Coordinates of all heavy atoms in Angstrom, one line a residue:
V478 N 16.6 20.5 5.0 CA 15.7 19.7 5.8 C 14.6 19.2 4.9 O 13.5 18.8 5.4 CB 15.2 20.4 7.0 CG1 16.3 20.7 8.0 CG2 14.5 21.6 6.6
L479 N 15.0 19.1 3.6 CA 13.8 18.6 2.7 C 13.4 17.2 2.9 O 12.1 17.0 2.9 CB 14.3 18.8 1.2 CG 13.3 18.6 0.2 CD1 12.3 19.6 0.1 CD2 14.0 18.5 -1.3
I480 N 14.2 16.3 3.3 CA 13.8 14.9 3.4 C 14.4 14.5 4.8 O 15.4 14.8 5.2 CB 14.5 14.1 2.4 CG1 13.9 14.5 0.9 CG2 14.2 12.6 2.6 CD1 14.5 13.6 -0.2
N481 N 13.4 13.9 5.6 CA 13.6 13.4 6.9 C 13.7 11.9 6.7 O 12.8 11.3 6.2 CB 12.6 13.8 7.9 CG 12.9 13.3 9.3 OD1 12.6 12.2 9.6 ND2 13.5 14.2 10.0
G482 N 14.8 11.3 7.2 CA 15.0 9.8 7.1 C 13.9 8.9 7.8 O 13.5 8.1 7.3
F483 N 13.4 9.4 9.0 CA 12.4 8.7 9.7 C 11.2 8.7 8.9 O 10.4 7.7 8.9 CB 12.3 9.4 11.1 CG 11.2 8.9 11.9 CD1 11.3 7.6 12.6 CD2 9.9 9.5 12.0 CE1 10.2 7.1 13.2 CE2 8.9 8.9 12.7 CZ 9.0 7.7 13.3
N484 N 10.8 9.9 8.3 CA 9.6 9.9 7.6 C 9.7 9.0 6.3 O 8.6 8.4 5.9 CB 9.3 11.3 7.1 CG 8.9 12.3 8.4 OD1 8.6 11.8 9.2 ND2 9.1 13.5 8.2
V485 N 10.8 9.0 5.7 CA 11.0 8.1 4.6 C 10.7 6.6 4.9 O 10.1 5.9 4.2 CB 12.4 8.3 4.0 CG1 12.6 7.1 2.8 CG2 12.4 9.6 3.3
I486 N 11.3 6.2 6.2 CA 11.1 4.8 6.5 C 9.8 4.5 6.8 O 9.2 3.4 6.6 CB 12.1 4.6 7.8 CG1 13.5 4.8 7.4 CG2 11.8 3.1 8.3 CD1 13.9 3.9 6.4
V487 N 9.0 5.5 7.5 CA 7.6 5.2 7.8 C 6.7 5.1 6.6 O 5.8 4.1 6.4 CB 7.0 6.4 8.7 CG1 5.5 6.3 9.0 CG2 7.8 6.3 10.1
M488 N 6.9 5.9 5.7 CA 6.2 5.9 4.4 C 6.6 4.7 3.5 O 5.7 4.1 2.9 CB 6.4 7.2 3.6 CG 5.5 7.3 2.5 SD 5.5 9.0 1.6 CE 4.8 10.0 3.0
R489 N 7.8 4.3 3.5 CA 8.2 3.1 2.8 C 7.5 1.9 3.3 O 7.0 1.0 2.7 CB 9.7 2.9 2.9 CG 10.3 1.6 2.4 CD 11.8 1.5 2.5 NE 12.3 0.2 2.0 CZ 12.5 -0.8 2.9 NH1 12.1 -0.7 4.1 NH2 12.9 -2.0 2.4
A490 N 7.5 1.7 4.7 CA 6.7 0.7 5.4 C 5.3 0.7 5.1 O 4.8 -0.4 5.0 CB 7.1 0.7 6.9
F491 N 4.7 1.7 5.0 CA 3.3 1.8 4.6 C 3.2 1.2 3.2 O 2.2 0.6 2.9 CB 2.8 3.2 4.7 CG 1.4 3.4 4.3 CD1 0.4 3.1 5.3 CD2 1.0 3.7 3.2 CE1 -0.9 3.2 5.0 CE2 -0.4 3.8 2.7 CZ -1.4 3.7 3.7
F492 N 4.0 1.7 2.2 CA 3.8 1.3 0.9 C 4.1 -0.2 0.7 O 3.5 -0.7 -0.1 CB 4.9 2.1 0.1 CG 4.5 3.5 -0.2 CD1 5.5 4.5 -0.5 CD2 3.2 4.0 -0.1 CE1 5.1 5.8 -0.7 CE2 2.9 5.4 -0.2 CZ 3.9 6.3 -0.5
M493 N 5.0 -0.7 1.5 CA 5.2 -2.1 1.4 C 4.2 -3.0 1.9 O 4.0 -4.2 1.6 CB 6.6 -2.5 2.2 CG 7.8 -1.9 1.6 SD 9.3 -2.3 2.6 CE 9.4 -4.0 2.3
E494 N 3.2 -2.4 2.7 CA 2.1 -3.1 3.3 C 0.9 -3.1 2.3 O -0.1 -3.8 2.5 CB 1.6 -2.6 4.7 CG 2.6 -2.7 5.7 CD 2.7 -4.1 6.2 OE1 1.8 -4.8 6.1 OE2 3.8 -4.5 6.5
L495 N 1.0 -2.4 1.2 CA -0.2 -2.4 0.2 C -0.1 -3.8 -0.4 O 0.9 -4.3 -0.8 CB 0.1 -1.2 -0.7 CG 0.0 0.1 -0.2 CD1 0.3 1.3 -1.3 CD2 -1.5 0.4 0.3
P496 N -1.2 -4.4 -0.8 CA -1.3 -5.6 -1.4 C -0.7 -5.6 -2.8 O -0.8 -4.6 -3.5 CB -2.8 -5.8 -1.5 CG -3.5 -5.0 -0.5 CD -2.6 -3.8 -0.4
E497 N 0.2 -6.7 -3.0 CA 0.8 -6.7 -4.3 C -0.1 -6.9 -5.5 O 0.3 -6.6 -6.7 CB 1.9 -7.9 -4.2 CG 2.8 -7.9 -5.4 CD 3.8 -6.7 -5.4 OE1 4.1 -6.3 -4.3 OE2 4.2 -6.3 -6.5
E498 N -1.3 -7.4 -5.2 CA -2.2 -7.7 -6.3 C -2.5 -6.4 -7.0 O -2.9 -6.4 -8.3 CB -3.6 -8.2 -5.8 CG -3.3 -9.7 -5.3 CD -2.8 -9.8 -3.9 OE1 -2.5 -8.9 -3.3 OE2 -2.8 -10.9 -3.4
L499 N -2.5 -5.2 -6.3 CA -2.9 -4.0 -6.8 C -1.8 -3.6 -7.9 O -2.2 -3.1 -9.0 CB -3.0 -2.8 -5.7 CG -4.1 -2.9 -4.7 CD1 -3.9 -1.8 -3.7 CD2 -5.4 -2.7 -5.4
F500 N -0.5 -3.7 -7.5 CA 0.4 -3.4 -8.5 C 0.5 -4.3 -9.7 O 0.6 -3.9 -10.8 CB 1.8 -3.5 -7.8 CG 1.9 -2.5 -6.6 CD1 1.6 -3.0 -5.3 CD2 2.2 -1.2 -6.8 CE1 1.8 -2.2 -4.2 CE2 2.4 -0.4 -5.7 CZ 2.0 -0.9 -4.4
E501 N 0.2 -5.6 -9.5 CA 0.3 -6.6 -10.6 C -0.9 -6.2 -11.5 O -0.7 -6.3 -12.8 CB 0.1 -8.0 -10.0 CG 1.4 -8.5 -9.2 CD 1.2 -9.8 -8.6 OE1 0.0 -10.5 -8.8 OE2 2.2 -10.4 -8.0
S502 N -2.1 -6.0 -11.1 CA -3.2 -5.7 -11.9 C -3.0 -4.5 -12.7 O -3.3 -4.4 -13.8 CB -4.4 -5.6 -11.1 OG -4.5 -4.6 -10.1
A503 N -2.4 -3.5 -12.1 CA -2.0 -2.3 -12.8 C -1.1 -2.4 -13.9 O -1.2 -1.9 -15.0 CB -1.6 -1.2 -11.8
R504 N -0.1 -3.2 -13.7 CA 1.0 -3.5 -14.6 C 0.4 -4.3 -15.8 O 0.8 -4.2 -17.0 CB 2.1 -4.2 -14.0 CG 3.0 -3.4 -13.2 CD 4.2 -4.0 -12.6 NE 4.9 -3.2 -11.6 CZ 4.8 -3.4 -10.3 NH1 4.0 -4.5 -9.7 NH2 5.4 -2.6 -9.4
I505 N -0.4 -5.2 -15.5 CA -1.1 -6.0 -16.5 C -2.0 -5.0 -17.5 O -2.0 -5.3 -18.6 CB -2.1 -7.1 -16.0 CG1 -1.2 -8.1 -15.2 CG2 -3.0 -7.7 -17.0 CD1 -2.0 -9.2 -14.5
D506 N -2.5 -4.1 -16.9 CA -3.3 -3.0 -17.6 C -2.4 -2.1 -18.4 O -2.9 -1.1 -19.1 CB -4.2 -2.2 -16.9 CG -5.3 -3.2 -16.2 OD1 -5.6 -4.2 -16.9 OD2 -6.0 -2.9 -15.3
G507 N -1.0 -2.2 -18.2 CA -0.1 -1.4 -18.9 C 0.2 0.0 -18.2 O 0.7 0.9 -18.9
A508 N -0.1 0.1 -17.0 CA 0.2 1.3 -16.2 C 1.8 1.4 -15.9 O 2.4 0.4 -15.6 CB -0.6 1.3 -14.9
S509 N 2.3 2.6 -16.1 CA 3.7 2.7 -15.7 C 3.8 3.0 -14.2 O 2.9 3.2 -13.6 CB 4.3 4.1 -16.5 OG 3.5 5.2 -16.1
E510 N 5.2 3.0 -13.8 CA 5.3 3.2 -12.3 C 4.7 4.6 -11.8 O 4.3 4.7 -10.7 CB 6.8 3.1 -12.0 CG 7.4 1.8 -12.0 CD 6.7 0.9 -11.1 OE1 6.2 1.3 -10.1 OE2 6.9 -0.4 -11.3
F511 N 4.8 5.6 -12.7 CA 4.4 6.9 -12.4 C 2.8 6.9 -12.2 O 2.2 7.4 -11.3 CB 4.8 8.0 -13.4 CG 4.2 9.2 -13.2 CD1 4.8 10.1 -12.2 CD2 3.1 9.7 -13.8 CE1 4.3 11.5 -11.9 CE2 2.6 11.2 -13.5 CZ 3.3 11.8 -12.6
H512 N 2.1 6.2 -13.1 CA 0.7 6.1 -13.0 C 0.3 5.1 -11.9 O -0.8 5.5 -11.2 CB 0.1 5.5 -14.3 CG 0.1 6.5 -15.4 ND1 1.2 6.6 -16.3 CD2 -0.8 7.4 -15.9 CE1 0.9 7.5 -17.3 NE2 -0.3 8.1 -17.0
V513 N 1.1 4.1 -11.5 CA 0.7 3.3 -10.3 C 0.8 4.2 -9.1 O -0.1 4.1 -8.2 CB 1.7 2.2 -10.3 CG1 1.5 1.4 -9.1 CG2 1.4 1.2 -11.4
L514 N 1.8 5.1 -9.0 CA 2.1 5.9 -7.8 C 1.0 7.0 -7.7 O 0.3 7.1 -6.6 CB 3.3 6.6 -7.8 CG 3.8 7.6 -6.8 CD1 3.8 7.0 -5.4 CD2 5.1 8.2 -7.1
T515 N 0.6 7.6 -8.8 CA -0.3 8.7 -8.7 C -1.7 8.3 -8.8 O -2.6 9.0 -8.0 CB -0.1 9.7 -9.9 OG1 -0.2 8.9 -11.1 CG2 1.3 10.3 -9.7
R516 N -2.1 7.2 -9.3 CA -3.6 6.8 -9.5 C -3.9 5.7 -8.5 O -5.2 5.5 -8.3 CB -3.8 6.4 -10.9 CG -3.7 7.5 -11.9 CD -4.1 7.1 -13.3 NE -3.8 8.2 -14.3 CZ -4.3 8.1 -15.6 NH1 -4.7 7.1 -16.0 NH2 -4.0 9.2 -16.3

């Protein structure tokens, strides 16, 4: 029961609502996907 599909969908929808400008500015600064996720 490590991963629940409903919880994945809820969290995915939340991540998709985050402004894309945040990811673009982080990538311009050279941040990797791991650093974007954690920081």
Side-chain angles (χ1 to χ4, degrees):
V478 292
L479 186 66
I480 296 179
N481 181 277
F483 175 78
N484 294 337
V485 172
I486 298 301
V487 172
M488 192 171 289
R489 172 181 177 270
F491 181 87
F492 290 157
M493 294 180 67
E494 292 294 327
L495 294 177
E497 191 63 31
E498 290 83 355
L499 291 174
F500 301 97
E501 293 177 356
S502 60
R504 294 189 183 95
I505 291 175
D506 293 337
S509 62
E510 290 293 340
F511 178 77
H512 286 87
V513 171
L514 174 62
T515 55
R516 297 185 180 182

